Amino acid sequence: MKQYHVAILGATGAVGKAMLEVLLERKFPIASLKLLASKRSAGTLISMGDQTYVVEEASAASFAGVDIVLGAADQEIAKRFIPEAIKAGAVVIDNSSAYRLDPDVPLIIPEVNPEAIRQHHGIIANPNCATIIALVACQPLHAYATIQRLVVSTYQAVSGAGIAGLRELDEQVDALRNGQAVQTAAFPYQIAYNLIPQIGGFNEQGYTSEEMKMQNEGRKILNQPSLQVNCTCVRVPVQRSHCESILVELKKPVDVALARKLIAQGQGVRLVDDPASAQYPMPLDASNQDLVYVGRIREDMSGHANALSLWCCGDQIRKGAATNAVQIAQLLIEQK
Amino acid sequence: MKQYHVAILGATGAVGKAMLEVLLERKFPIASLKLLASKRSAGTLISMGDQTYVVEEASAASFAGVDIVLGAADQEIAKRFIPEAIKAGAVVIDNSSAYRLDPDVPLIIPEVNPEAIRQHHGIIANPNCATIIALVACQPLHAYATIQRLVVSTYQAVSGAGIAGLRELDEQVDALRNGQAVQTAAFPYQIAYNLIPQIGGFNEQGYTSEEMKMQNEGRKILNQPSLQVNCTCVRVPVQRSHCESILVELKKPVDVALARKLIAQGQGVRLVDDPASAQYPMPLDASNQDLVYVGRIREDMSGHANALSLWCCGDQIRKGAATNAVQIAQLLIEQK
């Protein structure tokens, strides 16, 4: 079996570390592995399984001989290094938003649009976490009855702001328990015992960048430029799984029994939907694993014959980012 | 000015205590005040302002000479004592769900349908907290353009389960910080750092009782039997303010500027909607006061010409329960 020279760009963040974890779990055929980060992190040791890796400072020279780069850095770092990696002959799977809407860059959820990988020119983009979780949850319904419209309200974990977000929730809870003042840095306001209905900046229509991603990335991934999306994104004091309340309007009717059957047979999803025994998706259950949990499936009672309500939940760091990127890498090597 | 003999039934709970607080704050014309509760709580002292009250055990005889009873007990206690209170000549304003859908009982939000008070026969029902907050937020839009449909996802505070809910969140956080096992009683699962998409029991269609209240109470309050409501109710680890993400479809178009103007002029609401300076409603800001905060107002971008998205937030114990009941009592004495 062919083995690959792999690099992770932004290896010291929450997503970068999870990429390493998932690569090893999935026994990705690795010939060599480089962990790249900023100068500040160079020399950091990262232990995973029985191996310890030394983080190297990323530079244009880092990509010589690398086959696959998993990008877990922010948009600016991505734009600086990805062209260098491509020039060096690597294929980059990038988790930043830098190239997601570039028409020359496939934007892939392996359960939804794996075929798009054939169009890549050196960069494949990993979608936004909330978009991945919503579309993996809805894909079994989409394959059968074609999504027309999504009305989504999100409940997004602090891990969406990386290690700094996770730390901030902990520190704020500690401060409050000790009667101390709460410090904010990763989020604009206190998140402990609070909800912040802003993720990203606002556009002129009052939508945040996170809300627009659900529409714009959704349209591209489903290859459906007229997909209608109404989205409200909210940060909640939960550690690492995003939940979403979704009203999905379909082209033809799907009753609850059929919806459950489709989701039970779907890829990347786990049906958790037994009201009689109070079984439904929750962040604590969905964390630290790769499936998107789907439940609370109900026929709409507000007048739309082909609509279903559902509630889904997925680990934001894993399926929302790292696992999806590693799955794309797996698709890539299957193609070769 | 006439003064009234007032009793609070269920005075030792979170809502009962807040009723006392709001009665005093609003200088309700009280001739005498009885705090009634179960035998177990009889003798408890409750201090409020410069007064201390002794809790009495509720019995059929408790209501002799009482003009107005504010009910803060559960459905069973309500059904047991309210007929006795009416027999004794009192008017009861009841916060339980026991009589809310009874066609002979007005269900009132003073900002929305104060005129319904004229139809009472001794009982006036106080609506469910999430319903009050949603309808107070939407009323200024409804008065101008008539609500046709609401798609609501709620983010409900632990105070919805009373003092026990508030205590459970605190105790779970403490247990987790100390590496101890989490105990659950008020909620079916751990609520600290988690989300529970179940409030109340499930019906055969998979909707919870809390979700059905938004439709059934909403229809009655707006006197609009065909009002369409799609609702998903979720418990979040927040102390005492409920938030709701609402897509409201109206009979005619309302743009964002007009919606903001209507809400700024509305009753019982406070417009908090300035994306440029990151101003929007949050639970921490909306707690311990009586207004429903409304913001994040956006025109729907998913194909409905007359729809708006908004985000609202209100104190569940106060406007969601106690304050609304006291406001009804104020309406009642204005009528007399």
Side-chain angles (χ1 to χ4, degrees), chain A residues 15-16 21 93 141 190 220 241 270 290 333:
Chain A
V15 171
E21 187 176 68
I93 299 161
L141 305 174
Q190 177 182 324
K220 180 168 176 174
S241 281
R270 181 173 166 194
D290 289 330
I333 65 173

Side-chain angles (χ1 to χ4, degrees), chain B residues 93-273:
Chain B
I93 298 161
D94 181 36
N95 191 50
S96 86
S97 56
Y99 298 96
R100 283 184 193 150
L101 299 183
D102 184 326
D104 286 335
V105 175
L107 180 66
I108 297 182
I109 304 172
E111 292 85 349
V112 180
N113 64 333
E115 69 289 349
I117 201 163
R118 290 194 295 266
Q119 274 92 50
H120 87 81
H121 305 289
I123 315 178
I124 301 158
N126 207 37
N128 180 48
C129 48
T131 308
I132 292 175
I133 291 165
L135 293 189
V136 170
C138 292
Q139 170 62 19
L141 305 174
H142 178 64
Y144 177 83
T146 313
I147 298 172
Q148 304 295 295
R149 184 187 189 211
L150 295 168
V151 180
V152 183
S153 294
T154 72
Y155 301 64
Q156 295 185 230
V158 295
S159 63
I163 292 170
L166 286 160
R167 194 183 297 138
E168 189 150 307
L169 174 57
D170 275 347
E171 288 175 352
Q172 289 181 352
V173 169
D174 279 342
L176 290 163
R177 305 316 272 173
N178 297 325
Q180 293 163 347
V182 161
Q183 309 290 325
T184 61
F187 304 111
Y189 299 98
Q190 178 183 323
I191 186 61
Y193 307 99
N194 198 20
L195 305 169
I196 304 176
Q198 177 188 3
I199 302 179
F202 290 100
N203 69 11
E204 283 193 3
Q205 286 69 46
Y207 283 91
T208 61
S209 53
E210 188 82 357
E211 289 158 358
M212 295 310 298
K213 286 172 188 173
M214 187 71 76
Q215 176 191 280
N216 297 334
E217 298 184 16
R219 286 177 175 178
K220 180 168 176 174
I221 295 163
L222 296 182
N223 192 22
Q224 214 171 298
S226 64
L227 178 74
Q228 295 180 323
V229 178
N230 177 295
C231 185
T232 299
C233 288
V234 180
R235 187 75 67 195
V236 301
V238 159
Q239 272 139 347
R240 57 180 286 161
S241 281
H242 287 356
C243 291
E244 306 184 32
S245 167
I246 304 181
L247 174 64
V248 50
E249 294 180 6
L250 300 159
K251 211 165 186 167
K252 61 181 186 182
V254 175
D255 66 20
V256 171
L258 176 57
R260 284 182 179 155
K261 191 177 150 198
L262 292 169
I263 287 167
Q265 296 169 344
Q267 274 197 306
V269 284
R270 181 172 164 191
L271 179 71
V272 183
D273 193 19

Side-chain angles (χ1 to χ4, degrees), chain A residues 10-240:
Chain A
T12 54
V15 171
K17 282 182 182 164
M19 283 171 168
L20 172 59
E21 187 176 68
V22 177
L23 282 171
L24 299 180
E25 274 179 24
R26 297 191 166 221
K27 302 189 196 312
F28 194 86
I30 295 172
S32 72
L33 186 59
K34 271 189 188 181
L35 301 189
L36 305 173
S38 64
K39 187 171 186 175
R40 192 169 43 87
S41 298
T44 304
L45 299 180
I46 295 184
S47 293
M48 193 69 69
D50 50 5
Q51 288 238 281
T52 296
Y53 302 86
V54 185
V55 175
E56 299 172 40
E57 182 186 352
S59 75
S62 303
F63 304 101
V66 172
D67 300 308
I68 298 172
V69 178
L70 298 178
D74 66 22
Q75 199 172 325
E76 256 179 73
I77 307 286
K79 282 188 175 160
R80 186 166 142 212
F81 286 111
I82 289 174
E84 302 289 349
I86 293 171
K87 214 183 294 172
V91 176
V92 183
I93 299 161
D94 180 37
N95 191 50
S96 85
S97 57
Y99 298 95
R100 286 184 191 149
L101 298 182
D102 184 326
D104 286 335
V105 175
L107 180 66
I108 296 182
I109 305 173
E111 291 86 348
V112 180
N113 64 333
E115 70 287 350
I117 202 164
R118 290 194 296 267
Q119 274 92 52
H120 87 80
H121 305 289
I123 314 179
I124 301 159
N126 208 39
N128 181 48
C129 46
T131 308
I132 292 175
I133 291 165
L135 293 188
V136 170
C138 293
Q139 170 62 19
L141 305 174
H142 179 64
Y144 177 83
T146 314
I147 299 171
Q148 303 296 295
R149 184 187 189 211
L150 295 169
V151 179
V152 183
S153 293
T154 72
Y155 301 65
Q156 296 185 231
V158 296
S159 63
I163 291 169
L166 286 160
R167 194 182 297 138
E168 188 150 307
L169 174 58
D170 275 348
E171 289 175 351
Q172 289 181 350
V173 169
D174 279 343
L176 290 164
R177 305 316 271 172
N178 296 326
Q180 294 164 348
V182 160
Q183 308 289 327
T184 61
F187 304 112
Y189 299 99
Q190 177 182 324
I191 185 61
Y193 307 99
N194 199 21
L195 306 168
I196 304 175
Q198 178 188 5
I199 303 180
F202 290 100
N203 69 13
E204 283 193 4
Q205 285 69 45
Y207 284 91
T208 61
S209 53
E210 189 81 357
E211 290 160 356
M212 295 309 297
K213 286 173 187 173
M214 187 72 74
Q215 176 190 281
N216 296 335
E217 296 184 15
R219 287 177 174 178
K220 180 168 176 174
I221 294 163
L222 297 182
N223 192 22
Q224 213 171 297
S226 64
L227 178 74
Q228 294 179 323
V229 178
N230 177 294
C231 186
T232 300
C233 289
V234 181
R235 186 76 67 195
V236 300
V238 159
Q239 271 139 347
R240 55 180 286 161

